[in-house]
Amino acid sequence: MTEADNSVGIVTAQLAVFDTPLPLLSGSLIGNWELKYETYGTLNRDKSNAVLVCHALSGHHHVAGRYTEDDAAPGWWDSMVGPGKPIDTRRFFVVGVNNLGGCHGSTGPSSLRPETGEPWGAAFPVVTVSDWVNAQALLADRLGIERWAAVIGGSLGGMQALQWTISYPARVGHALVIASAPKLSAQNIAFNDVARQAILSDPDFHGGDFYRHGTAPRRGLRLARMLGHITYLSDDGMGEKFGRMLRSGEYRFGYDVEFEIESYLRYQGDKFSDIFDANTYLLMTKALDYFDPAADAGHDLAAALSDVKASFLVASFTSDWRFSPARSRELVDALTRADRRVSYAEIESVHGHDAFLMLDPPYVALMRTYLDRVAQEVGA
Amino acid sequence: MTEADNSVGIVTAQLAVFDTPLPLLSGSLIGNWELKYETYGTLNRDKSNAVLVCHALSGHHHVAGRYTEDDAAPGWWDSMVGPGKPIDTRRFFVVGVNNLGGCHGSTGPSSLRPETGEPWGAAFPVVTVSDWVNAQALLADRLGIERWAAVIGGSLGGMQALQWTISYPARVGHALVIASAPKLSAQNIAFNDVARQAILSDPDFHGGDFYRHGTAPRRGLRLARMLGHITYLSDDGMGEKFGRMLRSGEYRFGYDVEFEIESYLRYQGDKFSDIFDANTYLLMTKALDYFDPAADAGHDLAAALSDVKASFLVASFTSDWRFSPARSRELVDALTRADRRVSYAEIESVHGHDAFLMLDPPYVALMRTYLDRVAQEVGA
């Protein structure tokens, strides 16, 4: 099969403009905000086949397909979304959205503030997972989608899927929560804070208003990304891929690249720091830290889930140490105690946290089977 | 029991000056070098009761005791070294030494170079674990110690203990290798490289010659230490100690300290960046990366250990994910294949890698029992 056969093909991003101010959990209001989004497939007559794909820390609305014939790379989850793929665009109407605070076209710290004509910078308010879900709900209204057949996400995306079932119980049929956690651990927060400190202490950060200085905290963002990457891969996976391989075959006794793993990480860091907005990175890590739906229910996750109506697929990967299987089981246990419908899969993989973006066959089979059932339910 | 009863008391550091140049693994020679060291207890008549304590990444020669009556803190392993303690100074003559390249009095990047009267800075050569062991052997000669009853170390210190048994098989009775590994994994190297990049990319680093600019790469060193700390603690231990505790009881929606874990890490980073030399930090991480005694024996660790005469105690801690028990078992397996004497203990602890510095009762009992046997063997 050629790519053309199972690709959504050439896609175009769209912009939804909202002029009603959005109240945020922090107490701030954000007025005149925009969401960049893409859709694939066709919304059926009774509007029952819509699927929302929520993105993780560095993701965006461009989930599948290419913008031009010679586009270098497709959307970030092209492997999972397309005709005949597990999230089958012949059956589902799939929506991808760049979250508020993002740097891929939705209103965020690097966007021009209408009031001033300058980038928001440090003035952009901190946004949370529930703020994103509220914004996504307004986009759903705009698209005429009263109820999602499924809301799907990995990692931070999984937290959005979970939040949807709590914030809008009647609007979610199924939540697919993959490689995620119901809240961050102290270690998770610690890694995020080192990443943030790398950015905040970069002399080019200028308190978040680096745009007007014509610079960007690339050093800090590069370090944050290098560190992030370590937590996305498993120890064993890194060992298999890089081991102690030396770039030049021998020790050089200096600080240039010596081990292949150094080369890989520095490349990832450099590339990311060229394209991503540091303020968005900060916001995303804060949204991760703050997410804790049980907190409002006396720290009892089952109580937080008592009004949930969705059915759940929770999936974790054996070598994921960022959000280990134990973290997914916390959610599964709470859903069970709350007497909700939940399927749980702990998938053998060497790919660590990144496995949610990969194509380990048991994972693909699981997604295909589960989403086939969802499609049948909604007659798609 | 009061501290006075089991403390080595007031101690004084000493300096050994060497004027014969030391050849390093890198091919460099280092001339006119000095080692700062301390000793506790008394060398017996047949000089059979000497014990060398090797330090880890941020350690030094000041292992036990205090410099003055009102010294704020004792040496870094005071809990383990003293009269009646597991490394019993009533029986052993204990030597602590600051390694070459250190920043606590031995010749290192922040030392004045005799030829120029300026700090070495970037000109200081990269040193390795086997270089340190060679330097320590010259110190042993100076002290009249032909053979150590035991060489003891945790983490990077354990690597030195292991290297001693390979470089000087006749000079080591017992090697105690605690919370260590026979080589770093790709993930270990990756963490080190992020720490190095934080320092190297700090604008105050000035290519290693920051001394002459009257500055220091404190931002980078602070990040390196924060990151290091995460890897020293276990996920569960951090969870027990800090969890998601908030400093002010509620979310502040900003980038100041919010979670207690952030406060702890930033404090550790700030404190460390005030007192430690960034070039030394770089060197120490390189010594870790390079350590791989099997490499010279066709990557067969058992072959690398074939001439070893020492008996081994290898100990690991269940929650240590920096150098997990599996890494210690690699060494134990190789020692067993090489038909060497080895005892192995995998100690239940929530303290992660830091456990080697703590006093979990089974660990203390193990050290006490093993070292009692060593003392009996040498008639101490």
Side-chain angles (χ1 to χ4, degrees):
Chain A
M1 199 191 290
T2 65
E3 177 178 302
D5 294 327
N6 65 358
S7 168
V8 298
I10 303 297
V11 298
T12 309
Q14 299 174 71
L15 193 68
V17 179
F18 300 85
D19 47 20
T20 307
L22 183 72
L24 303 175
L25 189 63
S26 65
S28 298
L29 268 182
I30 187 154
N32 297 305
W33 52 285
E34 305 176 341
L35 290 182
K36 199 94 171 213
Y37 68 99
E38 288 179 13
T39 71
Y40 323 106
T42 308
L43 191 60
N44 60 9
R45 191 163 314 180
D46 58 0
K47 301 181 175 179
S48 63
N49 70 333
V51 166
L52 176 66
V53 173
C54 302
H55 69 76
L57 202 151
S58 60
H60 42 65
H61 57 285
H62 185 38
V63 177
R66 295 174 192 261
Y67 289 137
T68 58
E69 290 292 350
D70 55 358
D71 202 348
W76 60 268
W77 220 9
D78 194 77
S79 58
M80 200 60 90
V81 177
K85 292 179 184 170
I87 303 174
D88 191 342
T89 51
R90 295 173 311 193
R91 307 172 83 182
F92 292 116
F93 176 66
V94 180
V95 178
V97 57
N98 186 213
N99 280 325
L100 205 59
C103 56
H104 290 88
S106 293
T107 302
S110 55
S111 309
L112 296 185
R113 197 174 180 177
E115 298 89 321
T116 63
E118 298 275 327
W120 276 87
F124 196 86
V126 169
V127 286
T128 64
V129 169
S130 61
D131 294 328
W132 287 336
V133 167
N134 290 339
Q136 291 161 2
L138 291 167
L139 177 65
D141 294 344
R142 189 71 60 91
L143 297 173
I145 297 162
E146 174 51 34
R147 185 172 187 268
W148 300 103
V151 180
I152 306 178
S155 191
L156 178 54
M159 294 174 176
Q160 293 160 60
L162 173 56
Q163 186 64 48
W164 258 100
T165 69
I166 297 170
S167 297
Y168 300 98
R171 300 187 72 173
V172 189
H174 294 262
L176 282 68
V177 179
I178 307 162
S180 193
K183 65 179 181 226
L184 295 202
S185 69
Q187 190 191 66
N188 295 146
I189 296 170
F191 277 119
N192 278 348
D193 199 49
V194 175
R196 279 192 295 265
Q197 290 297 310
I199 294 168
L200 294 167
S201 69
D202 185 324
D204 287 329
F205 182 64
H206 296 289
D209 291 319
F210 49 87
Y211 317 98
R212 75 165 72 126
H213 290 82
T215 183
R218 285 202 182 79
R219 283 176 296 241
L221 188 55
R222 173 176 178 268
L223 292 170
R225 183 62 166 182
M226 289 176 73
L227 176 54
H229 249 283
I230 300 178
T231 69
Y232 304 153
L233 305 179
S234 74
D235 190 10
D236 285 349
M238 247 187 195
E240 280 181 22
K241 193 165 171 189
F242 302 103
R244 296 179 50 85
M245 253 187 308
L246 290 163
R247 203 116 189 258
S248 74
E250 56 178 15
Y251 292 160
R252 306 292 292 272
F253 299 103
Y255 298 112
D256 290 338
V257 164
E258 294 208 272
F259 292 92
E260 288 292 353
I261 180 65
E262 297 174 322
S263 171
Y264 171 80
L265 281 185
R266 294 184 199 182
Y267 173 76
Q268 294 293 339
D270 287 339
K271 200 175 61 169
F272 189 74
S273 68
D274 283 343
I275 56 166
F276 207 83
D277 177 69
N279 280 317
T280 291
Y281 200 87
L282 292 173
L283 285 178
M284 296 279 171
T285 63
K286 271 299 193 185
L288 277 162
D289 287 6
Y290 287 146
F291 183 68
D292 185 7
D296 291 331
H299 297 283
D300 177 352
L301 188 56
L305 297 166
S306 59
D307 291 333
V308 160
K309 292 188 170 46
S311 299
F312 278 74
L313 173 64
V314 178
S316 68
F317 300 94
T318 51
S319 61
D320 182 354
W321 61 278
R322 185 183 175 91
F323 294 142
S324 71
R327 314 303 314 282
S328 282
R329 286 195 300 265
E330 286 172 35
L331 174 57
V332 172
D333 289 349
L335 285 163
T336 306
R337 279 188 289 121
D339 203 19
R340 304 296 101 179
R341 287 176 306 276
V342 56
S343 304
Y344 175 57
E346 197 166 310
I347 300 160
E348 192 77 32
S349 170
V350 75
H351 292 119
H353 188 60
D354 260 359
F356 85 85
L357 296 166
M358 316 289 275
L359 293 176
D360 286 303
Y363 173 45
V364 177
L366 173 75
M367 293 290 279
R368 192 178 288 282
T369 305
Y370 194 90
L371 286 162
D372 178 59
R373 210 182 66 195
V374 174
Q376 285 178 27
E377 255 179 46
V378 298
Chain B
M1 199 190 285
T2 66
E3 179 179 301
D5 294 326
N6 65 357
S7 167
V8 298
I10 303 297
V11 299
T12 310
Q14 299 174 70
L15 195 68
V17 179
F18 300 86
D19 48 20
T20 307
L22 183 74
L24 302 175
L25 189 65
S26 65
S28 298
L29 270 180
I30 187 153
N32 297 305
W33 51 286
E34 305 175 341
L35 289 183
K36 199 94 172 215
Y37 69 99
E38 288 179 15
T39 71
Y40 322 105
T42 309
L43 191 60
N44 61 10
R45 193 165 310 184
D46 58 358
K47 299 180 174 177
S48 63
N49 70 332
V51 165
L52 176 65
V53 173
C54 303
H55 70 75
L57 203 151
S58 60
H60 42 65
H61 57 286
H62 184 38
V63 177
R66 293 173 192 260
Y67 288 137
T68 58
E69 291 292 350
D70 56 358
D71 203 348
W76 60 268
W77 219 10
D78 194 78
S79 58
M80 201 59 92
V81 177
K85 291 178 183 170
I87 304 175
D88 191 343
T89 50
R90 294 173 312 192
R91 308 171 84 181
F92 292 116
F93 177 66
V94 180
V95 178
V97 57
N98 186 214
N99 280 324
L100 206 59
C103 56
H104 289 88
S106 293
T107 303
S110 55
S111 310
L112 296 185
R113 199 174 178 176
E115 298 89 322
T116 61
E118 297 274 329
W120 277 87
F124 196 87
V126 169
V127 286
T128 64
V129 169
S130 60
D131 295 328
W132 287 336
V133 166
N134 291 338
Q136 290 160 2
L138 291 165
L139 177 65
D141 294 345
R142 188 70 62 92
L143 297 174
I145 297 162
E146 174 50 35
R147 184 172 188 270
W148 300 102
V151 181
I152 307 178
S155 191
L156 178 54
M159 294 175 175
Q160 295 160 58
L162 174 56
Q163 186 63 48
W164 257 100
T165 70
I166 297 170
S167 297
Y168 300 99
R171 299 187 72 171
V172 188
H174 294 263
L176 281 70
V177 179
I178 306 163
S180 193
K183 65 179 183 226
L184 295 201
S185 69
Q187 189 191 65
N188 295 145
I189 295 170
F191 277 120
N192 279 347
D193 199 49
V194 175
R196 279 192 295 267
Q197 291 297 311
I199 294 168
L200 295 166
S201 70
D202 185 323
D204 286 330
F205 182 64
H206 296 290
D209 292 319
F210 48 87
Y211 317 99
R212 75 165 72 126
H213 291 82
T215 183
R218 283 201 184 82
R219 284 176 294 242
L221 188 55
R222 172 176 178 268
L223 292 170
R225 182 64 167 182
M226 289 177 74
L227 176 53
H229 249 283
I230 300 178
T231 70
Y232 304 153
L233 305 180
S234 74
D235 190 9
D236 285 349
M238 244 185 200
E240 281 182 20
K241 195 166 169 190
F242 303 102
R244 296 178 51 85
M245 253 187 307
L246 291 164
R247 204 123 187 252
S248 72
E250 56 178 15
Y251 292 162
R252 306 290 292 271
F253 300 101
Y255 297 113
D256 291 337
V257 164
E258 293 208 272
F259 292 93
E260 287 292 352
I261 181 64
E262 298 174 320
S263 170
Y264 172 79
L265 281 184
R266 294 185 199 181
Y267 173 77
Q268 295 293 338
D270 287 338
K271 198 175 64 169
F272 189 74
S273 69
D274 282 341
I275 57 165
F276 207 83
D277 179 69
N279 281 315
T280 291
Y281 200 87
L282 292 173
L283 285 178
M284 296 279 170
T285 64
K286 270 300 193 185
L288 277 162
D289 286 6
Y290 287 147
F291 184 68
D292 186 6
D296 291 332
H299 296 284
D300 177 353
L301 187 56
L305 296 166
S306 59
D307 291 333
V308 161
K309 291 187 172 48
S311 299
F312 279 74
L313 174 64
V314 177
S316 68
F317 299 94
T318 50
S319 60
D320 183 355
W321 61 278
R322 184 182 177 96
F323 294 143
S324 72
R327 314 304 313 282
S328 283
R329 287 195 299 265
E330 287 172 35
L331 174 57
V332 172
D333 289 349
L335 285 164
T336 306
R337 280 188 288 121
D339 204 19
R340 304 296 101 178
R341 286 177 305 277
V342 55
S343 303
Y344 174 58
E346 197 167 310
I347 300 159
E348 192 76 30
S349 170
V350 73
H351 292 117
H353 188 58
D354 259 0
F356 85 87
L357 295 168
M358 315 291 274
L359 293 177
D360 286 303
Y363 173 44
V364 177
L366 174 75
M367 293 290 279
R368 192 178 287 283
T369 305
Y370 193 90
L371 287 162
D372 178 60
R373 210 181 68 196
V374 174
Q376 284 177 27
E377 253 179 47
V378 299

